[in-house]
Amino acid sequence: AGLFAGDRLSLDVEVGDRANAALTSPSASRYHTMPDGRADLSQRFSVGGGAWLDFWPDFVIPQRGSWVRQTTEIDLHESAQMVFLDRLAPGRVAHGESYAFRKLESVLQIRIGGELQVRERSVIEPAEGIWPLEVPGWELCYYGAIWIAGSAAGDAVDRLASLGGFPDGVRCGASLLSPTLGTMRVVTSSSLLLHRVTQQFRAVLRDPFPLLATDFRKL
């Protein structure tokens, strides 16, 4: 049903050596209205030698007054491969709730071979000013990030960076952070555009990462 004030949810995923795992969610993750207090979400992913992780969940939708603190830790073996998606909506837009949540705190850490490669921290508080994901002329802004790890990361980032022909409601950019770790970030003016663009990215990534052919049987 989603997270309510006082909830503590922990997700611990371990992909053993030479194993393949594909994970998704049946629907959007909702952070429900919280008159006071907050919820905490902790995610830990461990991916072993020669293993593969495909993490492709639906949107996170923070509702009015919600406050959630999320921590994500990803530990990859040097020979592991991963594609990891994160998508965030500005709120429950269909109910007139845009940027009405209290606070979203997020920390992401990625280690490869035990060495820290990425540590990101963000705090979004709409009451203190519009969130940092803002594009002039857009009423709303949806955010997505795809993290790409493995020996094919460089090829994958090159393929994503060469994409073009996006509609006006899409802004995106790809970065290679190390020879085995890259990211693609995108903001769009609607949820439908973000869904379509991330599916386009997934299709492009199937060449360097054939295991992305997994069909989650979702529209």
Side-chain angles (χ1 to χ4, degrees):
L3 293 179
F4 294 86
D7 284 352
R8 293 186 178 183
L9 177 62
S10 178
L11 175 66
D12 196 342
V13 175
E14 181 176 353
V15 185
D17 293 346
R18 296 178 298 282
N20 302 328
L23 303 174
T24 188
S25 56
S27 62
S29 298
R30 297 185 180 276
Y31 300 161
H32 291 288
T33 298
M34 304 175 189
D36 52 39
R38 70 159 192 265
D40 289 273
L41 172 59
S42 174
Q43 302 181 119
R44 182 181 178 275
F45 301 85
S46 176
V47 188
W52 160 256
L53 173 63
D54 173 8
F55 186 68
W56 202 266
D58 212 319
F59 283 90
V60 168
I61 302 178
Q63 297 181 192
R64 184 182 304 278
S66 60
W67 175 7
V68 174
R69 184 170 61 187
Q70 175 178 307
T71 302
T72 302
E73 297 183 7
I74 303 173
D75 292 292
L76 302 165
H77 187 275
E78 294 96 329
S79 60
Q81 298 186 90
M82 176 190 74
V83 171
F84 189 99
L85 173 67
D86 183 26
R87 286 184 288 190
L88 176 64
R92 193 169 51 168
V93 175
H95 292 259
E97 294 180 11
S98 300
Y99 314 118
F101 55 90
R102 275 189 292 152
K103 184 186 295 188
L104 288 181
E105 302 177 62
S106 176
V107 175
L108 168 68
Q109 293 189 161
I110 300 178
R111 290 184 173 86
I112 299 179
E115 294 188 5
L116 184 65
Q117 303 291 318
V118 170
R119 189 177 194 278
E120 288 191 336
R121 180 176 184 269
S122 67
V123 178
I124 303 174
E125 293 183 85
E128 301 299 322
I130 195 65
W131 68 347
L133 305 176
E134 182 182 17
V135 176
W138 291 8
E139 181 181 357
L140 301 171
C141 192
Y142 294 76
Y143 170 76
I146 301 176
W147 293 93
I148 306 153
S151 57
D155 180 25
V157 168
D158 286 344
R159 291 171 183 265
L160 292 173
S162 66
L163 290 175
F166 295 112
D168 290 339
V170 177
R171 303 286 188 274
C172 58
S175 301
L176 186 64
L177 307 178
S178 78
T180 58
L181 183 64
T183 184
M184 183 72 170
R185 301 180 193 271
V186 57
V187 290
T188 67
S189 59
S190 74
S191 60
L192 182 59
L193 273 176
L194 184 56
H195 175 74
R196 288 176 176 173
V197 169
T198 51
Q199 288 301 112
Q200 181 180 354
F201 295 160
R202 185 178 177 89
V204 169
L205 290 170
R206 283 176 187 155
D207 281 338
F209 295 103
L211 289 172
L212 276 179
T214 299
D215 182 359
F216 291 116
R217 301 180 184 273
K218 296 165 62 177
L219 297 177

